[in-house]
Amino acid sequence: MLGVIGIILALVVLVYLTFKGWHMGVVAIASSLIIILTSRMDIWEAISGPFADSFANFAKSWFLIFSLGAIFGKVMDQGGASLSIANWMVKVLGKKHIVLIVLLTTLVLSYGGIGVFVIAFTMYPICMALFKEADIPKKIFPGLLLAVPATVTMVFLPGTPATQNLIPTEFFGTTLYAAPVIGIVTSIFVFALDYLFYNWVVKSCAAKGEHFIPSPGDDATDADDPETLAGLPSPLMAFLPLIVLIVSIFVFQKLVSVANFAVCLGMALAILVALILYRGKMNVQETLAGGTVNGLNTLMVTSCIMGFGGVVTASPTYTACTEWLLGLDMSPLLLMFFSINVICMITGSSTGGLNIFLNSMGDYLISTGMNLEILHRMSAIASAGLDAMPHASGVVIANSVAKTDMADTYKYTFVSQCLIPILGFGLAAILYAIGLC
């Protein structure tokens, strides 16, 4: 019982300190210590073991992607490509459609196989130019950035290369295109709700007199300055590195066996192309250094929260809670939804919650005789509900990249990354009940 109280208390402390603006390293250690003490774990063994191992495993797996992603974003910003893209999009679609522009752009990038980490660094300078042009507060950025990549192209849309869509294939022998009708209908549903919600948020902020205010270190270039506009690359030159990034990752994934290696090769090539195209518009040494520092700082913050997750999953209380959840007497779909969401909420990881549940209950689900494609799509969708807690890596990264406070941004993130996907699961269940797949 004390261990359960410890996990709850740790999550409360984590959320509270995060909202108060404490550094994630301090927050992760403090929350981990609560779990360690209440679960009667050895302090040194837990910190040097599960915490350090999870921290190090994440850092060593992602340090190159974080560094290259941040460098790419910095090059696009310093080379004027981000501002050029933003200006072109505003001219074509208008300032009233900034939300649609961001949602569609992140849809293309994420469905093209580019992960949330890279998208955050890539989209930030573009979004800041768009937000400044339309006078939209920065606090909307994290939720709007994650709205599609962390829901639609993560679990809803058939064919998406996301890990959460790959995991069920291992258990059910299905393909990435499982349950296409349900997947497509719910994808449109979630996308539409995100579009309506963030348009309402933008109008609400405008009505309150809230404006775009750059953070320290942001490039506050005046998009209306004729000299600035004259020095920008053409829209074609601005988009070219993004096109190279998407196409090269797709090609490299066919040539190398490690997905992250393919992403790194694609980003390196895109950076090289951008440096050639925008030569003379930046100090290459300073741009590369600044991007690397930004990437590694974000990596350290994210690795700290992964360390907390390692302590959580290593605690005997967590194991007991998981066994209790998986033993509940519920209908298969309700058990799936409830268990996956609770595990995701505790760990802050959709991948972790989905993996743990299917490892324990995959055979049981198959034995129920339910359509395997339905099991695939519904289990994947279930992992996109309460996974977006304040300590989730994607949420932490989006705020870290944007230099925004969780207290200002999370209410929007919660709606688009938690509530709307849960509604999507409900719609998927209804479609299944009427016989669609």
Side-chain angles (χ1 to χ4, degrees):
M1 184 62 182
L2 181 61
V4 175
I5 295 174
I7 288 181
I8 296 173
L9 180 61
L11 292 175
V12 171
V13 169
L14 185 148
V15 172
Y16 177 78
L17 293 181
T18 300
F19 274 49
K20 286 295 183 179
W22 287 55
H23 190 277
M24 193 56 67
V26 177
V27 174
I29 291 292
S31 303
S32 296
L33 285 174
I34 293 174
I35 292 177
I36 291 168
L37 294 173
T38 55
S39 297
R40 297 184 176 86
M41 302 167 69
D42 182 271
I43 296 177
W44 176 247
E45 288 183 1
I47 294 296
S48 62
F51 187 97
D53 289 344
S54 297
F55 180 103
N57 287 337
F58 185 85
K60 74 179 182 181
S61 297
W62 295 98
F63 86 95
L64 196 54
I65 288 182
F66 271 66
S67 299
L68 291 173
I71 290 172
F72 180 68
K74 193 74 171 179
V75 171
M76 293 289 285
D77 182 26
Q78 295 297 307
S82 299
L83 187 54
S84 178
I85 291 172
N87 283 341
W88 181 83
M89 287 181 169
V90 169
K91 287 180 181 178
V92 173
L93 296 175
K95 292 183 181 180
K96 294 182 179 180
H97 299 292
I98 298 298
V99 169
L100 182 61
I101 291 171
V102 177
L103 292 177
L104 288 175
T105 305
T106 54
L107 173 67
V108 172
L109 292 174
S110 54
Y111 198 69
I114 300 176
V116 170
F117 302 156
V118 179
I119 291 174
F121 290 111
T122 303
M123 287 298 298
Y124 180 65
I126 296 174
C127 284
M128 289 308 97
L130 289 169
F131 281 26
K132 187 175 187 298
E133 182 76 10
D135 198 22
I136 298 173
K138 281 186 65 174
K139 64 181 182 179
I140 299 174
F141 172 79
L144 182 58
L145 171 82
L146 297 171
V148 169
T151 59
V152 176
T153 52
M154 186 173 82
V155 296
F156 285 94
L157 194 59
T160 178
T163 303
Q164 294 82 351
N165 194 35
L166 286 165
I167 290 174
T169 65
E170 301 174 2
F171 293 91
F172 305 126
T174 48
T175 71
L176 297 178
Y177 299 91
V181 175
I182 287 179
I184 292 172
V185 172
T186 52
S187 294
I188 295 172
F189 173 75
V190 171
F191 187 96
L193 287 184
D194 284 328
Y195 173 73
L196 293 172
F197 172 66
Y198 279 104
N199 269 304
W200 173 81
V201 170
V202 169
K203 292 177 181 178
S204 177
C205 289
K208 296 176 183 176
E210 298 177 347
H211 304 282
F212 174 84
I213 300 176
S215 299
D218 281 343
D219 183 4
T221 304
D222 186 0
D224 296 321
D225 181 24
E227 291 185 10
T228 299
L229 295 176
L232 295 178
S234 67
L236 177 59
M237 287 183 63
F239 275 107
L240 190 56
L242 284 174
I243 296 171
V244 169
L245 179 64
I246 295 172
V247 174
S248 61
I249 287 177
F250 178 79
V251 173
F252 284 130
Q253 284 177 338
K254 305 293 183 181
L255 301 177
V256 299
S257 58
V258 182
N260 281 2
F261 185 35
V263 174
C264 289
L265 290 174
M267 283 194 295
L269 181 59
I271 290 169
L272 180 60
V273 169
L275 289 173
I276 294 173
L277 290 175
Y278 315 138
R279 62 188 181 279
K281 296 181 181 295
M282 70 186 85
N283 183 310
V284 175
Q285 182 180 358
E286 291 181 359
T287 300
L288 295 180
T292 302
V293 169
N294 290 342
L296 293 180
N297 284 343
T298 303
L299 175 64
M300 290 300 100
V301 168
T302 311
S303 297
C304 286
I305 206 62
M306 300 308 291
F308 166 75
V311 172
V312 171
T313 54
S315 69
T317 305
Y318 175 77
T319 303
C321 288
T322 303
E323 292 176 351
W324 173 76
L325 282 170
L326 300 178
L328 292 175
D329 184 17
M330 295 180 176
S331 66
L333 287 184
L334 186 58
L335 175 64
M336 174 193 296
F337 174 78
F338 183 71
S339 299
I340 291 177
N341 271 281
V342 172
I343 298 172
C344 288
M345 179 180 66
I346 295 173
T347 60
S349 168
S350 57
T351 302
L354 184 59
N355 231 334
I356 290 170
F357 178 79
L358 291 182
N359 270 310
S360 301
M361 301 298 290
D363 291 338
Y364 162 73
L365 291 175
I366 294 173
S367 70
T368 63
M370 290 182 64
N371 184 305
L372 295 180
E373 293 197 6
I374 292 296
L375 292 176
H376 172 130
R377 187 59 53 206
M378 295 297 285
S379 61
I381 291 175
S383 71
L386 298 181
D387 64 309
M389 292 291 101
H391 56 288
S393 58
V395 178
V396 172
I397 288 168
N399 281 276
S400 179
V401 169
K403 309 178 192 70
T404 48
D405 294 327
M406 194 80 71
D408 297 326
T409 66
Y410 188 70
K411 57 186 175 183
Y412 308 119
T413 302
F414 182 77
V415 172
S416 57
Q417 273 73 72
C418 295
L419 295 184
I420 290 178
I422 288 175
L423 292 176
F425 183 93
L427 176 60
I430 292 172
L431 294 175
Y432 165 65
I434 63 177
L436 293 179
C437 180

